[in-house]
Amino acid sequence: MTDEQVLVDQSPPPSAPDPNPNPLIHPRRVSFEHGLLPIQKLAFTDPIQTLAPIKQKLADAASNNRVGSDAIAEALQISGDHARLVLETLGSVLHSEGDPLVRAKPEEVDSVGADLRDLVLFLYVQSYKKLTPRTHKDSAAVADVWPSTSAFDGYLSALSPIQANIRLSFAWCFERHALSCMYCTYAFGLVRSNSRRFMPSQADDEAHQLSYLQKHLANIISLIGEPVEGEGEESLVISMEAFEHLGFLVQFGDKGSDVSPLSQATPFFANSDPDMPAVPVPASQALDWLLQNIASALESITEGISGKENGPSNTSDQDDAMSDACAAPNKVAPSGRGPCLIEGVSKTSLVKQASDLRGRSVKVVNCHDSVIYLLAPLRYATVHGCSDTTIVLGAVGKALRVEHCERVHVIAASKRVCIANCRECVFFLGVNQRPLIVGDNHKLQVAPYNTYYSHLGEHMSEVGLESTINKWDKPLALGAVDPHDSLSHPAGVADAQAESAACVDPDQFVNFLIPNWFSGEDTGSTKDNPFPLPDPYMAAQQRNLKNLDETRRSLRETPLEENRKKELSSALHVYFKDWLYASGNIRQLYCLQGD
């Protein structure tokens, strides 16, 4: 590791794209990426047939067209904790920053509730099936996914009893059919669920989401439309106010927070007099206009993908981004729209400042054996497919999702956190809502937040995080199987619960020091960890400091000859070096050397 680098990205932030006179419609990706809950009672196989009576129950219980957690629990027949989770998740992905649910304090969420139309749209998209992650073109790069020996060697000992029983039941079939049947494939997929996965490109994801909306839009509009008085249910109209709620699913423009109201992109609501309510339009007219725009967007995406496939490189945009990042790890894929992509960072350290990422979303994808510092206020963050890496996130105001990672340490201050399909990861959290744990996880640990940097306090204030609320030790485990993936699940597996996380032993808890690379610049006011440590962790730290002081005093007072002092110093140096490498803290030391 002598060639260790600390890459401080001081490139200017990406400039805003020129306004497009004919912008395309886009799906609101955060609704599909951060707004899906693996609760079996929300996995509607026929959403229109199921949601119509549920909507009526919710409407009957609504006050000022808003629905609280008690009414949600009753209508959906779910627990109070799950009803609260529905509201918190919806609030984290709502398109309207002015909605009362977005602005509600934690103690107000249950009573403030959700707008009925937003809630119905949120419940409908729980029927969405994600695009299956693609595998890498280079089979050698992922050879560990298909070992030559039995697929179950070395794995069953690490499984929970439920997982082991499921997988053992398929072991005999697997080794004889060689992945030729669905059950074998699924069993092996569970065993290796955390093997390296490659996220679909943004174009692939958008095409998949638009195709879903294209198929379901007629049903969706029928749920938020209103019948014309005296003309029956078949004559639906949609008001401008109701049409705006479709902004939960689609948008025009290039930046999620800067998009214009959806109605202003239409020929039938644009330039309406703000002092007079716009006349509702037939639901069929709104549907035809949306479908026409979706078809145009799909055509544009298809042409773009075809152009890449027929080009000389014959690689996808994500492959290009990854190869660029691997060749020069300080390069971050530029994106005028959507999240900033940090991909393929390996065996190095990368630093991004607030000026690079302020107000944006970020995705950290397939990074290995590295330390990544994203010291900025963020809206959303995703960590996908990383291993043996420490990732420090500044302040995430909406939601953080960590998925398909192995042996990763995540240090984050965030409104909410979702952990999915991870192994042997440790999460040091300052989190205002209960951490959500879903999917096939193994040996997860959680601990209180353990670091700070000079601008952390102002970044937390900017995105609305509360330092007095930290629910790091109250994880909520949901299903071990995600009903939103595209796999077929054998009967009974869907009822298994995800393995939860254990708390880090207070005696093993250590602070993480972020180097001050920018000491010559404007410094912030944060001088310490803004999240108070729980008593057992504070006591352990004080005990460790006391032990250290006593050890130092003992060494100073012990009479030793000069050669014995050198031997002792050499032995301590060797033990400390071994600990640095064994704990992974050696990379942090390299970062400090660059300070």
Side-chain angles (χ1 to χ4, degrees):
M1 291 191 176
T2 57
D3 59 345
E4 181 75 18
Q5 305 174 66
V6 179
L7 299 168
V8 181
D9 192 333
Q10 295 180 320
S11 58
S15 58
D18 293 332
N20 186 350
N22 297 301
L24 291 172
I25 197 169
H26 298 282
R28 272 192 84 242
R29 297 185 66 188
V30 295
S31 297
F32 297 96
E33 294 174 359
H34 296 277
L36 302 179
L37 289 174
I39 298 175
Q40 288 301 317
K41 288 190 176 181
L42 302 188
F44 307 123
T45 54
D46 188 346
I48 187 64
Q49 291 296 324
T50 309
L51 276 178
I54 289 176
K55 177 195 172 185
Q56 188 56 53
K57 289 182 181 179
L58 293 170
D60 293 342
S63 175
N64 295 324
N65 214 40
R66 301 193 72 84
V67 186
S69 61
D70 290 342
I72 292 172
E74 177 67 24
L76 297 173
Q77 293 297 293
I78 58 177
S79 68
D81 283 345
H82 286 179
R84 167 86 180 203
L85 179 60
V86 165
L87 286 175
E88 290 177 339
T89 306
L90 174 56
S92 73
V93 295
L94 271 177
H95 58 297
S96 173
E97 291 294 323
D99 190 274
L101 181 59
V102 176
R103 297 179 176 272
K105 297 179 179 179
E107 65 272 15
E108 299 171 342
V109 168
D110 293 310
S111 57
V112 167
D115 184 282
L116 176 61
R117 290 158 295 195
D118 291 330
L119 180 59
V120 168
L121 294 176
F122 173 82
L123 293 175
Y124 196 103
V125 298
Q126 301 305 310
S127 65
Y128 174 74
K129 298 286 186 180
K130 298 176 185 175
L131 188 60
T132 304
R134 61 186 177 88
T135 55
H136 199 271
K137 297 175 182 178
D138 182 5
S139 58
V142 288
D144 63 308
V145 177
W146 306 108
S148 58
T149 56
S150 168
F152 295 85
D153 290 345
Y155 291 104
L156 291 175
S157 62
L159 304 179
S160 68
I162 291 177
Q163 293 168 326
N165 288 337
I166 293 171
R167 292 161 202 186
L168 277 172
S169 67
F170 292 123
W172 180 89
C173 184
F174 173 85
E175 295 198 346
R176 285 153 182 79
H177 291 169
L179 300 177
S180 63
C181 77
M182 175 188 73
Y183 297 102
C184 292
T185 304
Y186 178 67
F188 187 60
L190 278 180
V191 171
R192 298 295 296 160
S193 65
N194 295 293
S195 297
R196 185 180 302 178
R197 292 193 178 198
F198 291 85
M199 297 181 74
S201 69
Q202 178 168 312
D204 290 339
D205 250 349
E206 288 206 359
H208 187 64
Q209 291 159 7
L210 285 173
S211 296
Y212 168 84
L213 293 172
Q214 188 178 48
K215 177 181 178 181
H216 291 274
L217 199 55
N219 290 339
I220 290 171
I221 287 183
S222 72
L223 287 170
I224 64 170
E226 301 171 359
V228 178
E229 187 174 351
E231 296 189 23
E233 293 288 337
E234 295 182 359
S235 300
L236 289 177
V237 295
I238 188 165
S239 65
M240 186 171 77
E241 181 185 3
F243 188 83
E244 287 291 2
H245 287 274
L246 292 174
F248 178 76
L249 301 174
V250 293
Q251 66 184 37
F252 286 86
D254 288 330
K255 288 189 177 181
S257 59
D258 298 334
V259 295
S260 301
L262 185 63
S263 62
Q264 296 307 301
T266 70
F268 38 84
F269 287 133
N271 302 317
S272 298
D273 188 343
D275 297 326
M276 296 184 63
V279 177
V281 300
S284 58
Q285 182 181 355
L287 174 62
D288 290 343
W289 181 82
L290 285 168
L291 289 176
Q292 181 181 359
N293 278 274
I294 289 175
S296 297
L298 284 170
E299 183 179 354
S300 176
I301 292 173
T302 302
E303 289 175 354
I305 294 174
S306 298
K308 288 182 179 292
E309 291 177 347
N310 296 330
S313 63
N314 195 31
T315 57
S316 72
D317 54 347
Q318 185 176 358
D319 292 327
D320 293 336
M322 183 172 183
S323 60
D324 286 345
C326 290
N330 61 328
K331 288 185 66 176
V332 178
S335 177
R337 187 181 57 80
C340 174
L341 180 64
I342 298 172
E343 185 170 17
V345 176
S346 180
K347 295 186 178 180
T348 190
S349 298
L350 176 68
V351 183
K352 296 288 286 184
Q353 307 177 63
S355 57
D356 305 311
L357 298 169
R358 183 177 295 276
R360 303 191 67 195
S361 299
V362 65
K363 286 190 175 181
V364 181
V365 180
N366 295 334
C367 296
H368 309 286
D369 196 21
S370 299
V371 177
I372 297 173
Y373 300 85
L374 306 177
L375 309 181
L378 302 166
R379 290 172 58 79
Y380 299 93
T382 299
V383 179
H384 178 98
C386 298
S387 66
D388 302 291
T389 294
T390 296
I391 300 166
V392 185
L393 292 156
V396 184
K398 294 293 186 179
L400 163 64
R401 182 176 179 87
V402 184
E403 57 188 9
H404 301 294
C405 291
E406 296 182 352
R407 300 176 303 280
V408 164
H409 286 198
V410 175
I411 303 172
S414 181
K415 177 69 69 69
R416 69 193 317 264
V417 175
C418 179
I419 304 164
N421 304 308
C422 292
R423 298 175 70 90
E424 301 177 40
C425 297
V426 186
F427 300 86
F428 298 88
L429 300 176
V431 60
N432 290 171
Q433 298 175 10
R434 296 179 65 182
L436 187 61
I437 299 179
V438 302
D440 184 30
N441 300 284
H442 181 57
K443 289 187 177 180
L444 302 183
Q445 291 182 283
V446 290
Y449 193 71
N450 67 339
T451 193
Y452 72 95
Y453 58 94
S454 62
H455 289 287
L456 176 59
E458 63 190 71
H459 291 171
M460 290 176 57
S461 297
E462 184 175 331
V463 300
L465 294 186
E466 297 281 348
S467 63
T468 57
I469 301 173
N470 193 358
K471 298 188 177 182
W472 67 272
D473 58 341
K474 297 178 176 62
L476 178 60
L478 294 183
V481 167
D482 187 351
H484 306 108
D485 65 33
S486 300
L487 298 174
S488 297
H489 303 301
V493 175
D495 298 327
Q497 189 176 29
E499 180 181 322
S500 191
C503 293
V504 169
D505 188 314
D507 288 326
Q508 302 300 316
F509 178 83
V510 293
N511 288 325
F512 185 90
L513 181 60
I514 296 176
N516 186 13
W517 289 286
F518 315 107
S519 56
E521 302 177 11
D522 179 37
T523 57
S525 58
T526 305
K527 307 297 183 184
D528 202 355
N529 186 345
F531 293 94
L533 280 181
D535 290 341
Y537 291 85
M538 180 62 75
Q541 283 205 337
Q542 293 172 346
R543 188 165 56 249
N544 290 338
L545 288 173
K546 181 180 178 182
N547 291 339
L548 178 61
D549 288 339
E550 290 177 353
T551 302
R552 285 173 172 170
R553 184 172 61 254
S554 177
L555 290 173
R556 284 195 304 267
E557 295 174 354
T558 301
L560 293 174
E561 297 177 0
E562 193 63 31
N563 61 331
R564 299 292 292 174
K565 287 183 179 180
K566 290 181 180 179
E567 290 178 5
L568 178 59
S569 176
S570 178
L572 290 174
H573 179 79
V574 169
Y575 280 120
F576 181 60
K577 185 177 180 180
D578 289 344
W579 174 80
L580 284 173
Y581 279 99
S583 64
N585 288 312
I586 186 66
R587 193 168 301 285
Q588 188 184 4
L589 187 62
Y590 282 124
C591 293
L592 291 171
Q593 287 178 339
D595 189 0

